[in-house]
Amino acid sequence: MDSIGTETRVDYARVFHQAIDRLHAEGRYRVFIDILRNKGAFPNARCFAGHNGPKPITVWCSNDYLAMGQHPKVIAAMEEALHDVGAGSGGTRNIGGNTHYHVDLEAELADLHGKEAALLFTSGYVSNEATLATMAKILPGCIIFSDELNHASMIAGIRNAGCEKRVFRHNDLAHLEELLAEADPAAPKLIAFESVYSMEGDIAPIAGICDLADRYNALTYLDEVHAVGMYGARGGGISERDAVADRLTIIEGTLGKAFGVMGGYIAADRTIIDVIRSYAPGFIFTTSLSPVLVAGVLASVRHLKSSTAEREGQQAAAAALKAMLRDAGLPVMPGDTHIVPVMVGDPVKAKKISDILLAEYGVYVQPINYPTVPRGTERLRFTPGPAHDEAMMRDLTRALVEIWDRLELRMAA
Amino acid sequence: MDSIGTETRVDYARVFHQAIDRLHAEGRYRVFIDILRNKGAFPNARCFAGHNGPKPITVWCSNDYLAMGQHPKVIAAMEEALHDVGAGSGGTRNIGGNTHYHVDLEAELADLHGKEAALLFTSGYVSNEATLATMAKILPGCIIFSDELNHASMIAGIRNAGCEKRVFRHNDLAHLEELLAEADPAAPKLIAFESVYSMEGDIAPIAGICDLADRYNALTYLDEVHAVGMYGARGGGISERDAVADRLTIIEGTLGKAFGVMGGYIAADRTIIDVIRSYAPGFIFTTSLSPVLVAGVLASVRHLKSSTAEREGQQAAAAALKAMLRDAGLPVMPGDTHIVPVMVGDPVKAKKISDILLAEYGVYVQPINYPTVPRGTERLRFTPGPAHDEAMMRDLTRALVEIWDRLELRMAA
């Protein structure tokens, strides 16, 4: 029996090493680039030793889309909160961690989307996961209809819900209707989708999806993380731009991208917010957002409700960069948003291009490989913002053309 | 067919209202108390209108256990980072959100626990959920052995792992061994438990659990969120105090309680950290912690590695309060940690006591009801720290005795 015991003994270290070896073999082992951004000089940053540094670089892949993370109003609000109430909240929302900043920000976000109420989470990931899982549990027999390109956090929430799921082809209304028509009319239904798909840079037909939701009595859940602050007259996202916010059951957003800080939220009617607040473990059992962050977001949301300069600057920069790259014959993916993806189609080459850009050109753009995008669609993803000027764009274009030639990558068109 | 269509139509609003009604019926509908703490004067805070305010209160239920959230070194470090690099990280760890602060803090936390590496998460909840779910997926056929009082975030991780689970009676080594002996010797095994159980205030037999792990070739996962910063010569937790850190596979902690800020982490060997970093969706697909928070935590962890005054002050305060409450005949639950739970055993009464304390005595302590604790064990939970003085304790004890008399609650002993 002893020898059998030895033979069957699990070799944990071997299993863990094999898991890492698989990543290397597929060329998608990730190396985190070690940087510090320079407040007041974004997109400039410092890159640290071991990663081509220390030396100055230009960041081309930040999701601080409007550079609000360095806005004087945001910095001032955070500094004030830091000195007024201290570093952390000290507890969950229910136990000591509900500050007046949280209450104010939830009111501000509800107003941004024209909803009765809003609820803060520690991240957009958690808001998607917790809300979708909880909605399905509160609605026994619920079927969730999910766009095939939905973000990992929505997929996690749907899987953790343990409910039935139907995946519709990306932005395909006909396929969604086919699936809705097939489903039991008596079953609760929730359609989960995004407005701006961040790796494609395309936009969902929100009004069309709302029409289908009306026809089949389904609820709707819209992830606007890559749109809030950036679209709509007050930054309420694509749902504001398209004047359909009132038709959506739940709108979800982030505080860590265009608003420049950290955290996530949902906005909906008062009862739904109360249900998620009361039943979602990912909301209940976690220390609330630091009041310092919440104060910064409050300033950011309020500023972007009235100021349009950042949004206009971002759209102009995105249009200019797309035109420049396209004119140079580089394979820019189509799309009418602020996101500029350039297709590579191979994880090793995507990483190689990124490495050369950083080492030789001081350009920081991360390769986007599986599991962030499907295998075979590996790409570079540029996020020009109001602070990227024309000279930076020319430098970037020249560098890409030179590398495309050097690596003998086929040019588009 | 139309009428059948109408009959079977889901009434979503009714389902949501019923979910809220159930909470009211059970007396466990939660009202968040709206406060702002006063930096430099903790545990004093301001309570807002609608919640007995605005007026000053004393906070008795904060998890900012050592008042590090107002420590001058922490505040200074956050202010410096805010002005150096701005509000948020601007991306996931892989895409633009890996700052030098993150790299430094992970090294500091690895050192705190004597491990090769560490990994930051946006919260302790996410670190538990993401790590446990991912460990089980990397180890096919894994069985997780889980203490019955484990935190909701560990339970979520184990459930989301979709693996087999065996729940052992709280801190019961004999029962754990029974379950380990019954399991297939060839199956990977992971024992998940906490050091300090935060609602009970008791401590796990870590060395005994490590002995069983050795005997049955199991990995161990220890949640030290209510111990890091507070136990051990350098604040490494109970595993440092008991000199067993090197026997544990993974140690998990929080940055939002004794360290006073926000966030969570794990520490382990380099390969395991690399596996979780590379495979856990809850780590990969989320904006990294704001560098402002990370800078504050760095200062906090470094301070508590050398300073013992905060730990000693907390232990003295906890001992003094327990003695005072016990002498007054109040039902303090046994335990030798910094947590002082007083049993009530009824959700409506627990809330009533808490309401009177806030309205009449300016004492803020939240009632702890289901699902945070099992039904029938509802309680008040006091967390005295180095900043709670003897006068505050006397006021609290007098208030509780008066309320216990008024509500005709049976006194212990």
Side-chain angles (χ1 to χ4, degrees):
Chain A
M1 282 304 284
D2 267 347
S3 66
I4 292 173
T6 307
E7 276 168 38
T8 59
R9 203 176 160 83
V10 182
D11 183 350
Y12 293 105
R14 199 173 58 95
V15 178
F16 294 134
H17 279 291
Q18 284 169 342
I20 295 300
D21 290 345
R22 284 199 295 276
L23 300 174
H24 285 295
E26 293 180 23
R28 59 184 186 86
Y29 182 81
R30 293 174 167 197
V31 177
F32 296 161
I33 306 300
D34 183 358
I35 62 170
L36 282 181
R37 304 201 291 163
N38 299 319
K39 195 204 78 174
F42 185 78
N44 292 314
R46 288 153 276 170
C47 197
F48 276 76
H51 295 296
N52 189 40
K55 80 169 198 189
I57 55 171
T58 304
V59 179
W60 274 104
C61 62
S62 177
N63 282 340
D64 185 358
Y65 290 121
L66 304 177
M68 290 302 291
Q70 64 180 25
H71 196 285
K73 286 185 191 173
V74 174
I75 303 298
M78 289 176 72
E79 183 167 348
E80 192 189 328
L82 182 64
H83 288 292
D84 189 22
V85 301
S89 78
T92 65
R93 283 295 289 280
N94 187 47
I95 307 178
N98 184 53
T99 79
H100 202 57
Y101 293 109
H102 293 77
V103 175
D104 279 353
L105 180 56
E106 286 176 344
E108 196 71 43
L109 292 167
D111 172 76
L112 178 64
H113 296 292
K115 298 291 182 190
E116 287 175 2
L119 193 68
L120 292 172
F121 295 82
T122 48
S123 70
Y125 187 100
V126 172
S127 59
N128 274 337
E129 194 282 330
T131 305
L132 287 169
T134 303
M135 285 293 282
K137 279 174 191 162
I138 292 294
L139 295 164
C142 184
I143 305 169
I144 297 185
F145 298 79
S146 174
D147 187 285
E148 67 178 332
L149 291 188
N150 273 343
H151 187 257
S153 54
M154 298 173 83
I155 295 168
I158 296 167
R159 202 195 45 233
N160 297 343
C163 68
E164 272 195 75
K165 174 175 80 163
R166 308 265 192 278
V167 176
F168 59 94
R169 287 190 292 272
H170 179 53
N171 282 346
D172 186 334
L173 287 173
H175 190 216
L176 172 59
E177 173 147 33
E178 195 182 310
L179 296 176
L180 284 164
E182 280 169 15
D184 177 3
K189 297 173 188 68
L190 177 63
I191 305 170
F193 63 116
E194 303 183 26
S195 57
V196 172
Y197 286 83
S198 78
M199 293 298 157
E200 318 295 316
D202 59 355
I203 294 179
I206 304 180
I209 290 178
C210 289
D211 291 342
L212 291 178
D214 289 346
R215 197 167 311 148
Y216 293 92
N217 189 32
L219 304 178
T220 49
Y221 182 96
L222 177 64
D223 174 325
E224 288 249 44
V225 298
H226 292 278
V228 289
M230 294 175 278
Y231 296 87
R234 301 193 310 158
I238 301 290
S239 58
E240 185 191 19
R241 188 197 72 174
D242 293 359
V244 289
D246 62 317
R247 300 185 65 192
L248 293 155
T249 313
I250 299 176
I251 295 174
E252 185 265 349
T254 180
L255 311 172
K257 300 189 197 294
F259 294 130
V261 190
M262 179 187 170
Y265 68 93
I266 56 168
D269 74 33
R270 202 175 305 284
T271 311
I272 288 177
I273 294 297
D274 210 5
V275 166
I276 303 301
R277 185 188 77 94
S278 302
Y279 283 95
F283 172 81
I284 297 171
F285 297 104
T286 198
T287 299
S288 64
L289 279 171
S290 157
V292 179
L293 302 182
V294 179
V297 176
L298 255 174
S300 185
V301 173
R302 283 173 180 161
H303 175 77
L304 288 175
K305 272 183 175 172
S306 57
S307 172
T308 59
E310 292 81 5
R311 287 188 276 279
E312 287 159 9
Q314 182 194 36
Q315 288 298 324
L321 180 64
K322 279 181 196 175
M324 229 181 263
L325 296 178
R326 211 177 284 122
D327 290 348
L330 291 156
V332 182
M333 293 168 64
D336 48 1
T337 66
H338 59 283
I339 294 163
V340 185
V342 174
M343 184 58 76
V344 179
D346 179 274
V348 177
K349 285 179 186 155
K351 174 133 189 10
K352 177 88 178 167
I353 299 167
S354 164
D355 287 347
I356 296 174
L357 281 170
L358 188 64
E360 300 182 23
Y361 296 93
V363 163
Y364 175 38
V365 64
Q366 197 69 26
I368 309 290
N369 289 346
Y370 178 84
T372 305
V373 294
R375 293 177 212 265
T377 71
E378 292 81 1
R379 66 199 68 171
L380 302 177
R381 173 182 174 274
F382 301 93
T383 54
H388 290 88
D389 62 27
E390 202 182 303
M392 291 173 184
M393 294 186 200
R394 294 210 181 282
D395 288 346
L396 173 64
T397 306
R398 258 195 302 270
L400 287 173
V401 168
E402 195 281 319
I403 297 168
W404 243 256
D405 286 346
R406 195 192 317 179
L407 300 185
E408 298 183 337
L409 297 162
R410 198 166 52 92
M411 294 299 249
Chain B
M1 282 303 284
D2 268 346
S3 67
I4 291 174
T6 307
E7 274 168 40
T8 59
R9 203 175 160 81
V10 182
D11 183 349
Y12 293 105
R14 200 173 58 96
V15 179
F16 295 135
H17 279 292
Q18 285 169 342
I20 296 300
D21 290 346
R22 285 199 295 275
L23 301 173
H24 285 296
E26 293 180 22
R28 59 184 187 86
Y29 182 80
R30 292 174 167 197
V31 178
F32 295 160
I33 306 301
D34 182 358
I35 62 171
L36 282 181
R37 306 202 291 166
N38 299 319
K39 195 205 77 174
F42 184 77
N44 292 314
R46 288 151 276 170
C47 198
F48 276 75
H51 295 295
N52 188 42
K55 81 169 198 189
I57 56 171
T58 304
V59 178
W60 274 103
C61 61
S62 177
N63 283 341
D64 185 359
Y65 289 122
L66 303 178
M68 289 303 291
Q70 64 178 27
H71 196 285
K73 287 185 192 171
V74 174
I75 303 297
M78 290 175 71
E79 183 167 348
E80 193 190 327
L82 182 63
H83 288 292
D84 189 22
V85 300
S89 79
T92 66
R93 281 296 289 280
N94 187 49
I95 307 178
N98 184 53
T99 78
H100 202 58
Y101 293 109
H102 292 78
V103 176
D104 280 352
L105 180 56
E106 286 176 344
E108 195 72 42
L109 292 167
D111 171 77
L112 178 65
H113 296 291
K115 298 290 183 192
E116 287 175 2
L119 193 69
L120 291 173
F121 296 82
T122 49
S123 70
Y125 187 99
V126 172
S127 59
N128 274 337
E129 195 281 331
T131 306
L132 287 169
T134 303
M135 285 293 282
K137 278 174 191 162
I138 293 294
L139 295 164
C142 183
I143 305 170
I144 297 185
F145 297 80
S146 173
D147 187 286
E148 66 178 334
L149 291 187
N150 273 344
H151 188 257
S153 54
M154 299 173 82
I155 295 169
I158 296 167
R159 202 194 46 232
N160 297 342
C163 68
E164 272 195 77
K165 172 174 82 163
R166 308 266 191 280
V167 176
F168 59 94
R169 286 189 295 272
H170 180 52
N171 282 346
D172 187 334
L173 288 173
H175 189 216
L176 173 58
E177 173 147 34
E178 196 182 309
L179 297 175
L180 285 164
E182 280 169 17
D184 177 1
K189 297 175 187 68
L190 177 64
I191 306 171
F193 62 115
E194 303 183 25
S195 58
V196 171
Y197 286 83
S198 78
M199 293 298 158
E200 318 295 315
D202 59 355
I203 293 177
I206 304 179
I209 290 177
C210 290
D211 291 343
L212 292 177
D214 289 345
R215 197 167 310 148
Y216 294 92
N217 188 32
L219 304 178
T220 49
Y221 182 96
L222 177 64
D223 174 324
E224 287 251 43
V225 297
H226 293 278
V228 288
M230 295 176 277
Y231 296 87
R234 301 193 310 158
I238 302 290
S239 58
E240 185 190 19
R241 188 197 72 175
D242 293 1
V244 290
D246 62 318
R247 301 186 64 191
L248 293 155
T249 313
I250 299 176
I251 295 174
E252 185 266 348
T254 180
L255 312 172
K257 301 189 198 293
F259 294 129
V261 190
M262 180 184 169
Y265 68 94
I266 56 169
D269 73 34
R270 203 175 305 283
T271 311
I272 288 177
I273 294 298
D274 209 6
V275 166
I276 303 300
R277 185 188 77 92
S278 303
Y279 284 95
F283 172 81
I284 296 171
F285 297 105
T286 198
T287 300
S288 64
L289 278 171
S290 158
V292 180
L293 302 182
V294 179
V297 175
L298 256 174
S300 186
V301 172
R302 284 172 179 164
H303 176 77
L304 289 175
K305 272 184 177 172
S306 57
S307 171
T308 59
E310 292 81 5
R311 287 189 275 280
E312 287 159 8
Q314 181 193 38
Q315 289 297 325
L321 181 63
K322 279 182 195 174
M324 229 181 262
L325 296 178
R326 212 177 282 122
D327 290 349
L330 290 155
V332 182
M333 294 167 64
D336 47 2
T337 65
H338 58 282
I339 294 163
V340 184
V342 174
M343 183 58 77
V344 178
D346 179 274
V348 177
K349 284 180 186 155
K351 173 133 187 16
K352 176 88 178 168
I353 299 167
S354 164
D355 287 346
I356 296 174
L357 280 170
L358 187 64
E360 300 182 22
Y361 297 92
V363 163
Y364 175 38
V365 65
Q366 197 70 24
I368 309 290
N369 289 346
Y370 179 85
T372 305
V373 294
R375 293 177 211 266
T377 71
E378 292 82 2
R379 65 198 69 168
L380 303 177
R381 173 181 174 275
F382 301 93
T383 54
H388 290 88
D389 63 26
E390 202 181 304
M392 291 172 184
M393 294 187 199
R394 294 207 181 285
D395 288 347
L396 173 64
T397 307
R398 258 195 302 270
L400 287 172
V401 168
E402 194 281 320
I403 297 168
W404 242 255
D405 286 346
R406 197 194 315 180
L407 300 185
E408 298 182 337
L409 298 162
R410 198 166 51 91
M411 294 299 246

